CSV table of all heavy atoms in Angstrom, one decimal:
chain,number,residue,atom,x,y,z
A,14,PHE,N,-25.9,-0.6,11.3
A,14,PHE,CA,-24.8,-0.5,12.3
A,14,PHE,C,-25.2,0.2,13.5
A,14,PHE,O,-26.4,0.6,13.6
A,14,PHE,CB,-23.5,0.3,11.7
A,14,PHE,CG,-23.9,1.7,11.5
A,14,PHE,CD1,-23.7,2.7,12.5
A,14,PHE,CD2,-24.4,2.1,10.3
A,14,PHE,CE1,-23.9,4.1,12.2
A,14,PHE,CE2,-24.9,3.5,10.0
A,14,PHE,CZ,-24.6,4.4,11.0
A,15,VAL,N,-24.4,0.1,14.6
A,15,VAL,CA,-24.8,0.6,15.9
A,15,VAL,C,-23.5,1.4,16.5
A,15,VAL,O,-22.5,0.9,16.3
A,15,VAL,CB,-25.3,-0.4,16.9
A,15,VAL,CG1,-24.3,-1.4,17.3
A,15,VAL,CG2,-25.9,0.3,18.1
A,16,SER,N,-23.8,2.5,17.0
A,16,SER,CA,-22.7,3.2,17.8
A,16,SER,C,-23.1,3.1,19.3
A,16,SER,O,-24.0,3.8,19.7
A,16,SER,CB,-22.6,4.6,17.3
A,16,SER,OG,-22.3,4.7,16.1
A,17,ASP,N,-22.3,2.3,20.0
A,17,ASP,CA,-22.6,2.1,21.4
A,17,ASP,C,-21.6,3.0,22.2
A,17,ASP,O,-20.4,2.7,22.1
A,17,ASP,CB,-22.6,0.7,21.7
A,17,ASP,CG,-23.1,0.4,23.1
A,17,ASP,OD1,-22.8,1.1,24.1
A,17,ASP,OD2,-23.9,-0.7,23.3
A,18,PRO,N,-22.1,3.8,23.2
A,18,PRO,CA,-21.1,4.6,24.0
A,18,PRO,C,-20.2,3.7,24.8
A,18,PRO,O,-19.1,4.2,25.0
A,18,PRO,CB,-22.0,5.5,24.9
A,18,PRO,CG,-23.4,5.1,24.6
A,18,PRO,CD,-23.5,4.1,23.4
A,19,LEU,N,-20.6,2.6,25.2
A,19,LEU,CA,-19.7,1.7,25.9
A,19,LEU,C,-18.5,1.2,25.0
A,19,LEU,O,-17.4,1.0,25.5
A,19,LEU,CB,-20.5,0.4,26.4
A,19,LEU,CG,-19.8,-0.5,27.3
A,19,LEU,CD1,-19.3,0.2,28.6
A,19,LEU,CD2,-20.7,-1.6,27.7
A,20,ALA,N,-18.8,1.0,23.7
A,20,ALA,CA,-17.7,0.7,22.7
A,20,ALA,C,-16.8,1.9,22.5
A,20,ALA,O,-15.5,1.8,22.3
A,20,ALA,CB,-18.2,0.1,21.5
A,21,GLY,N,-17.4,3.1,22.6
A,21,GLY,CA,-16.5,4.3,22.3
A,21,GLY,C,-17.1,5.0,21.1
A,21,GLY,O,-17.5,4.4,20.1
A,22,ALA,N,-17.0,6.4,21.1
A,22,ALA,CA,-17.4,7.2,20.1
A,22,ALA,C,-16.5,6.9,18.9
A,22,ALA,O,-15.3,6.8,19.0
A,22,ALA,CB,-17.3,8.7,20.5
A,23,GLY,N,-17.1,7.0,17.7
A,23,GLY,CA,-16.2,6.8,16.5
A,23,GLY,C,-15.8,5.5,16.3
A,23,GLY,O,-14.8,5.1,15.5
A,24,LEU,N,-16.3,4.4,17.0
A,24,LEU,CA,-16.0,3.0,16.9
A,24,LEU,C,-17.3,2.2,16.6
A,24,LEU,O,-17.7,1.4,17.5
A,24,LEU,CB,-15.3,2.5,18.2
A,24,LEU,CG,-14.0,3.3,18.5
A,24,LEU,CD1,-13.5,3.1,19.9
A,24,LEU,CD2,-12.8,2.9,17.5
A,25,PRO,N,-17.9,2.5,15.6
A,25,PRO,CA,-19.2,1.8,15.2
A,25,PRO,C,-19.1,0.2,15.0
A,25,PRO,O,-18.0,-0.2,14.7
A,25,PRO,CB,-19.7,2.5,13.9
A,25,PRO,CG,-18.5,2.9,13.2
A,25,PRO,CD,-17.5,3.3,14.3
A,26,ILE,N,-20.2,-0.4,15.3
A,26,ILE,CA,-20.2,-1.9,15.1
A,26,ILE,C,-21.2,-2.2,14.0
A,26,ILE,O,-22.2,-1.7,13.9
A,26,ILE,CB,-20.8,-2.6,16.4
A,26,ILE,CG1,-19.9,-2.2,17.6
A,26,ILE,CG2,-20.9,-4.1,16.2
A,26,ILE,CD1,-20.5,-2.4,19.0
A,27,TRP,N,-20.6,-2.9,13.0
A,27,TRP,CA,-21.5,-3.4,11.8
A,27,TRP,C,-22.4,-4.5,12.3
A,27,TRP,O,-21.9,-5.6,12.6
A,27,TRP,CB,-20.6,-3.7,10.6
A,27,TRP,CG,-19.8,-2.6,10.1
A,27,TRP,CD1,-18.7,-2.1,10.7
A,27,TRP,CD2,-19.9,-1.9,8.9
A,27,TRP,NE1,-18.2,-1.0,10.0
A,27,TRP,CE2,-18.9,-1.0,8.8
A,27,TRP,CE3,-20.8,-2.1,7.8
A,27,TRP,CZ2,-18.8,-0.1,7.7
A,27,TRP,CZ3,-20.6,-1.2,6.7
A,27,TRP,CH2,-19.7,-0.1,6.7
A,28,LEU,N,-23.7,-4.3,12.1
A,28,LEU,CA,-24.7,-5.4,12.4
A,28,LEU,C,-24.8,-6.3,11.2
A,28,LEU,O,-24.2,-6.0,10.1
A,28,LEU,CB,-26.0,-4.7,12.8
A,28,LEU,CG,-26.0,-3.9,14.0
A,28,LEU,CD1,-27.3,-3.0,14.3
A,28,LEU,CD2,-25.7,-4.6,15.3
Side-chain angles (χ1 to χ4, degrees):
F14 66 92
V15 67
S16 299
D17 191 313
L19 186 58
L24 299 164
I26 300 162
W27 295 70
L28 298 173

